Amino acid sequence: MRKKERLLKNPKPYTLLENASVGLLLAGALSTVIISELLNTLNPVVWLPLGSFALSFLFILLLELILLGLVNRFSFAVMGSVLLVSLLSIVNHVKQYFRGDPLFAGDLVMAGDVDKVMGDLRYTPGIRVWVAALVFLLTLGIASRSRRRVQGLAKRLVMSSAALLLLSALIVGMIWSPKVRQEWLGIQDYAWNALANTSHNGFLVPFLRSAQDLVPGKKPDIPVPDSEYLVPALTGSDQPYDLDPAHDNKPNVICVMSESFSDFERINGLRASEPIMPFYRHLQQSDNTIDGSLLVSIFGGNTSNTEFEFLTGSSMHFVNDGLFPFKSWFQERTHGLVDLFNQQGYRSVGIHPFWSDYYERTRVYRQLGFEKYIALEQFPDEAERVHGYVSDRAHVEQIIRTFEEKGPDERLFLFTITMQNHFPYDRAHEELATLPYRIRLPDMTQAESAELFLSLLRVSDDALRDLVGYFEKVDEPTLIVLFGDHLPGLSESLRPFYEQLNGKTFAQLDLMETRQMYETPFMIWANYPLPEDNIDITSPNFLSATVADLADARLSPYYEFIKGLTKEFRAISNKILVLGDGTTIDRDHIPEELAYELSRYRRYHVDNIIRSAD
């Protein structure tokens, strides 16, 4: 008895093993991993490969030890870690439920804007959520019964500091190291499919891996002689390169980025009860049309990232998952498509029928050079609503009003983003009753949400007919560019549709099948003959150079460089690249002979977009 009292008064490291406190920490870490994976619905089997489990478990255990040193209660250390990780896991679960993709560290910067798109969403918890809640409550209940502490401030500080050091080593030396993850721990990375990473490796390891992308990258040391410096420095109204402002024969340029615009009929022969986009198909046969597929870097959301690529000519290939260039940069004037047209006498206007501060577009559009930005606040109150948003038809009416407001001697560059077909699609039954179309998928079950989305596309097709019909009668040459920002997300309501369409889960898709999920349609139409260009696939950065070229704009050296890249690359996204010969590769298998050109491209990306990072 005296020995026990003496050990309690003067605890040694080995005495901790003689009580339940260490067991509490181990059990708390284990239950937290279980909670995390129960809420990670991309992981169908809950358990993890040994390497991913070990990293997740060690991360939570070290987090508990850090908290223990700070709060000096085993119970608070366990409860604090399970609360923190569970909160992140809940956010990950909700994002997967409504969008289908996992949570990235960079997503947290959008937390303040979530309420703008989450207002009327409906959520129904599944059995895994209830099991996770039960494990969570049991963990809190058991942990709360412990009253044990660590004796001695010095010991606590040493323990907390050592745990913090080990946690940093775990993240930087193992989770952030591809060689350690793959060769030592057997954790396979899926460079082309973020959903597969979270499906096979769990939530915590890919999430912590994405935190690496928040660390500012070092400016690449690529020698570029002054004679090759391509990005003009913008200072006020200066014109840093010689462009002919004459525009007597220049066309108006109207670019429409259509929300979730997709062509599912090209994937595995999707059969619908009626045509989904009949007017779009009609335009594809026109001599005045160039069309193809657009390889984008996003799936299910984050519209501004496709917008960023198109308006700047840069690429998300240099910006990792979960990051938003509009939120991070654009503190200075930035050269891009808007500036290119501005300096050739165009009047530039941006339109988006959503809140003006979303993705900080008001600031970004000013730095890009838009003279006017028409957001939701400027749309008339009586503008038609479809699916809870300003309809595409009302959007076309705003485009026409903006065109008619310009002077007869002005040329217009207009960039506009639609909202009508934005998620959610879970209220299919009640919404379909309000639409003029009800497209059915006779070969599929549990496809009502997909039928709602396709019926909305049919309404958009009518709006496209109105837009083209108006400009067919306009005397001024006008170029219209239409493209989608991303496919609709793999939400809980659309998951059955995607799995039946592909015959497998998203996480099981190979490189080429994944590529299809990141391809949206694009079309360029003019009310005058266009050259017979055949563009089977491109990406938003290259599409912007193509648009400038077709509009007979004088290209800046920067856009000449981007245009020149199309000899080596047909399309570039943040995960997938299509080479000049049509070969599709992921970002981890770029041929050495092409890496230098991408490095130069990244140098110009940094100089133009992230100048303040020097």
Side-chain angles (χ1 to χ4, degrees):
M1 187 69 178
R2 291 180 180 176
K3 180 180 178 182
K4 184 175 181 181
E5 291 176 354
R6 188 168 61 251
L7 290 174
L8 288 174
K9 290 180 180 179
N10 301 286
K12 303 293 184 183
Y14 65 83
T15 64
L16 293 176
L17 298 175
E18 298 177 9
N19 59 54
S21 298
V22 169
L24 179 63
L25 294 179
L26 296 174
L30 177 61
S31 64
T32 304
V33 174
I34 293 172
I35 292 168
S36 175
E37 290 312 301
L38 282 167
L39 294 173
N40 175 22
T41 52
L42 286 172
N43 179 0
V45 294
V46 180
W47 63 75
L48 295 173
L50 182 59
S52 296
F53 171 78
L55 290 180
S56 302
F57 182 84
L58 285 173
F59 170 80
I60 297 168
L61 183 61
L62 290 170
L63 181 61
E64 289 176 334
L65 291 173
I66 293 171
L67 292 174
L68 179 59
L70 295 175
V71 301
N72 195 22
R73 287 281 292 271
F74 281 86
S75 58
F76 290 168
V78 172
M79 289 190 291
S81 64
V82 73
L83 281 169
L84 176 61
V85 175
S86 295
L87 179 60
L88 287 172
S89 300
I90 289 169
V91 176
N92 176 58
H93 173 78
V94 170
K95 188 183 179 192
Q96 290 179 15
Y97 187 92
F98 290 113
R99 280 263 306 269
D101 55 330
L103 180 71
F104 300 107
D107 289 330
L108 300 180
V109 305
M110 289 295 295
D113 294 326
V114 169
D115 62 309
K116 295 183 175 68
V117 294
M118 299 286 282
D120 298 323
L121 299 183
R122 297 177 181 178
Y123 172 73
T124 304
I127 184 64
R128 289 174 59 159
V129 176
W130 294 116
V131 174
L134 178 61
V135 176
F136 176 80
L137 292 174
L138 285 174
T139 304
L140 290 185
I142 294 172
S144 65
R145 299 178 65 84
S146 173
R147 297 292 183 267
R148 292 196 177 271
R149 300 172 181 267
V150 177
Q151 301 298 322
L153 178 60
K155 292 179 181 178
R156 287 168 43 204
L157 291 177
V158 169
M159 179 183 63
S160 186
S161 300
L164 181 60
L165 184 63
L166 289 172
L167 183 65
S168 302
L170 178 77
I171 293 175
V172 177
M174 301 183 77
I175 294 177
W176 287 6
S177 170
K179 182 176 182 179
V180 172
R181 288 198 313 269
Q182 296 176 37
E183 297 182 13
W184 293 12
L185 298 172
I187 298 176
Q188 182 179 355
D189 284 338
Y190 298 82
W192 66 89
N193 192 330
L195 279 73
N197 273 329
T198 304
S199 173
H200 297 293
N201 299 321
F203 163 59
L204 275 176
V205 172
F207 175 78
L208 294 170
R209 156 66 187 85
S210 73
Q212 183 180 13
D213 302 331
L214 300 179
V215 179
K218 182 181 178 182
K219 185 172 179 178
D221 186 20
I222 304 298
V224 181
D226 292 340
S227 60
E228 290 188 31
Y229 193 74
L230 307 183
V231 182
L234 297 176
T235 55
S237 60
D238 292 349
Q239 295 192 12
Y241 46 89
D242 182 22
L243 294 176
D244 181 5
H247 55 255
D248 291 343
N249 297 315
K250 304 277 187 177
N252 299 293
V253 179
I254 298 174
C255 303
V256 181
M257 188 167 75
S258 182
E259 171 63 41
S260 299
F261 184 49
S262 311
D263 186 2
F264 285 109
E265 291 176 283
R266 66 181 178 80
I267 302 175
N268 295 335
L270 178 70
R271 187 169 70 93
S273 59
E274 59 183 283
I276 300 171
M277 301 184 293
F279 185 73
Y280 182 87
R281 300 289 182 227
H282 166 72
L283 281 185
Q284 285 182 303
Q285 308 305 316
S286 169
D287 293 336
N288 294 2
T289 298
I290 299 171
D291 70 288
S293 294
L294 190 73
L295 180 65
V296 298
S297 296
I298 53 176
F299 176 82
N302 302 342
T303 291
S304 70
N305 288 353
T306 300
E307 182 180 358
F308 157 77
E309 291 185 303
F310 181 75
L311 289 177
T312 66
S314 191
S315 175
M316 290 298 295
H317 184 78
F318 312 116
V319 186
N320 290 307
D321 283 325
L323 296 188
F324 305 91
F326 277 18
K327 300 282 285 187
S328 302
W329 303 311
F330 294 93
Q331 302 303 322
E332 304 176 31
R333 285 289 300 278
T334 303
H335 178 58
L337 202 58
V338 184
D339 180 59
L340 190 74
F341 280 105
N342 281 351
Q343 297 201 38
Q344 297 179 72
Y346 278 72
R347 179 172 182 247
S348 56
V349 178
I351 301 176
H352 183 36
F354 202 56
W355 304 113
S356 58
D357 59 343
Y358 199 59
Y359 286 118
E360 300 187 23
R361 281 191 177 94
T362 299
R363 172 181 57 81
V364 173
Y365 277 22
R366 181 173 59 252
Q367 302 296 13
L368 286 171
F370 281 105
E371 299 174 34
K372 185 177 182 181
Y373 174 32
I374 302 171
L376 179 62
E377 296 90 332
Q378 286 76 48
F379 269 70
D381 294 338
E382 64 275 12
E384 179 189 46
R385 259 63 173 178
V386 169
H387 186 54
Y389 300 102
V390 171
S391 72
D392 282 6
R393 178 161 51 191
H395 198 118
V396 166
E397 292 170 356
Q398 181 61 58
I399 292 173
I400 294 172
R401 279 196 299 272
T402 304
F403 172 77
E404 292 179 344
E405 287 171 359
K406 77 173 187 64
D409 296 328
E410 287 184 316
R411 283 293 182 264
L412 179 67
F413 173 75
L414 180 64
F415 177 77
T416 178
I417 313 167
T418 72
M419 275 298 292
Q420 174 189 289
N421 300 336
H422 198 279
F423 83 95
Y425 314 105
D426 57 339
R427 301 182 182 181
H429 184 72
E430 56 195 79
E431 283 200 54
L432 281 167
T434 68
L435 297 179
Y437 303 102
R438 173 63 195 270
I439 294 177
R440 298 181 183 274
L441 299 173
D443 300 333
M444 293 188 174
T445 59
Q446 296 180 277
E448 196 172 38
S449 291
E451 291 172 348
L452 169 61
F453 173 75
L454 297 176
S455 300
L456 289 168
L457 279 184
R458 182 70 175 82
V459 176
S460 297
D461 193 67
D462 287 349
L464 176 63
R465 180 192 60 205
D466 294 343
L467 179 67
V468 171
Y470 175 86
F471 282 99
E472 279 180 327
K473 302 172 185 176
V474 169
D475 291 333
E476 295 178 12
T478 300
L479 190 74
I480 294 178
V481 185
L482 173 71
F483 61 95
D485 53 351
H486 54 72
L487 270 65
L490 190 71
S491 63
E492 198 70 19
S493 62
L494 282 178
R495 191 185 303 272
F497 164 72
Y498 275 113
E499 291 182 356
Q500 292 175 80
L501 180 69
N502 291 302
K504 60 182 73 173
T505 67
F506 204 111
Q508 295 172 322
L509 300 181
D510 62 23
L511 177 61
M512 289 302 298
E513 292 166 334
T514 301
R515 174 183 143 176
Q516 285 188 309
M517 296 295 102
Y518 285 84
E519 289 182 23
T520 68
F522 82 88
M523 173 176 288
I524 303 172
W525 174 88
N527 58 2
Y528 57 90
L530 289 176
E532 296 182 3
D533 286 354
N534 180 28
I535 306 176
D536 61 335
I537 188 165
T538 187
S539 46
N541 55 327
F542 293 148
L543 180 62
S544 66
T546 299
V547 169
D549 211 21
L550 288 172
D552 198 26
R554 181 87 170 272
L555 300 184
S556 66
Y558 173 65
Y559 272 97
E560 288 283 6
F561 172 76
I562 294 171
K563 181 181 175 182
L565 281 176
T566 59
K567 297 175 182 177
E568 305 292 347
F569 303 96
R570 294 189 187 181
I572 298 176
S573 77
N574 67 337
K575 291 184 176 61
I576 298 172
L577 302 91
V578 182
L579 305 184
D581 62 1
T583 303
T584 299
I585 60 173
D586 66 62
R587 64 177 301 131
D588 289 345
H589 295 87
I590 297 171
E592 186 176 347
E593 63 271 17
L594 298 179
Y596 177 77
E597 285 303 305
L598 285 177
S599 296
R600 289 185 68 209
Y601 192 13
R602 181 172 182 263
R603 165 68 185 267
Y604 302 130
H605 159 85
V606 171
D607 286 336
N608 191 34
I609 309 298
I610 325 175
R611 287 192 297 269
S612 60
D614 290 350

